[in-house]
Amino acid sequence: MNVKIESSWKAVLQSEFDKPYFEAITLFIKEEKAKGKTIYPPGPFFFNAFNTTPFSELKLVILGQDPYHNPNQAHGLSFSVPKGIPPPPSLANIYKEIHIDLGLPIPQSGNLEQWAKQGVLLLNASLTVEANQPMSHSKIGWHIFTDAVIKTISEKKEKVVFLLWGSFAKSKLEFIDHNKHLILTAAHPSPLSAYNGFFGCKHFSKANEWLIQNGLAAIDWTIS
């Protein structure tokens, strides 16, 4: 895999790209494509989260689990879909909570690039998936890579907000220095669990209050 990744990320992650597990990911995806399988997101978007949110500008992380596995949805940003695609159910609930928390209007667009360009890393634990096969690439090595990403952020950055929703995201707590960073946890925004503690969590206002207290610009959570 020819990794085209933003320069500040390349500087802190280069050692990962040289490891055997990463070579194994590359080989697996090449073999799957050779078999005629469809992989999401399209190749140029595998590292879209990193290319849209440089390491040097990162101040908040929203961790997802798996890319969308239906056509035209995944574009390398967790919870986000390209312009023109309706917001999926979890994202619709994220918008509802922002409306509850901050009073912002509920957007029509599901494209979260406006957040990413403000320093919000929209990271999925797996960066690829086979079409119509959820979690199909969760065991090919991506979790080793994205765990290393979380550890690198924790170690090399100061004052980052981590939003961890659901039990899978909370399992990454061990990789984050609680003394340096703000960690906010809640239920997952999925319709199956949003009423068990996601709605009312006020993570968006809490994150902004903490950023401002630490001399950083707040996130504009508006999507236009």
Side-chain angles (χ1 to χ4, degrees), residues 43-156:
F45 293 95
F46 285 2
F47 296 95
N48 195 22
F50 303 91
N51 293 329
T52 312
T53 309
F55 183 76
S56 55
E57 299 175 21
L58 168 69
K59 54 188 178 183
L60 190 146
V61 178
I62 297 179
L63 183 65
Q65 190 165 0
D66 204 37
Y68 295 120
H69 57 271
N70 293 323
N72 304 317
Q73 288 188 312
H75 67 143
L77 305 177
S78 64
F79 295 101
S80 180
V81 290
K83 289 178 181 173
I85 304 298
S90 290
L91 179 55
N93 283 339
I94 290 170
Y95 286 165
K96 287 178 186 176
E97 173 57 23
I98 291 173
H99 176 70
I100 294 165
D101 186 7
L102 300 172
L104 296 176
I106 293 176
Q108 298 298 309
S109 171
N111 189 306
L112 304 181
E113 287 179 358
Q114 289 172 260
W115 296 356
K117 289 176 180 177
Q118 296 178 74
V120 178
L121 180 67
L122 297 165
L123 178 66
N124 276 318
S126 294
L127 299 191
T128 58
V129 69
E130 182 183 341
N132 305 313
Q133 300 293 328
M135 304 301 296
S136 50
H137 289 185
S138 63
K139 303 269 198 297
I140 70 168
W142 280 129
H143 288 193
I144 303 172
F145 176 69
T146 51
D147 285 352
V149 169
I150 295 167
K151 292 173 189 174
T152 298
I153 295 168
S154 179
E155 292 168 7
K156 297 184 181 293

Side-chain angles (χ1 to χ4, degrees), residues 190-211:
S190 159
L192 298 174
S193 56
Y195 286 96
N196 294 329
F198 179 75
F199 289 135
C201 69
K202 298 188 179 296
H203 280 186
F204 304 95
S205 60
K206 289 175 180 177
N208 276 349
E209 288 166 9
W210 192 85
L211 289 169

Side-chain angles (χ1 to χ4, degrees), residues 208-224:
N208 276 349
E209 288 166 9
W210 192 85
L211 289 169
I212 292 167
Q213 287 169 5
N214 285 280
L216 299 166
I219 305 296
D220 179 1
W221 296 107
T222 307
I223 294 291
S224 57

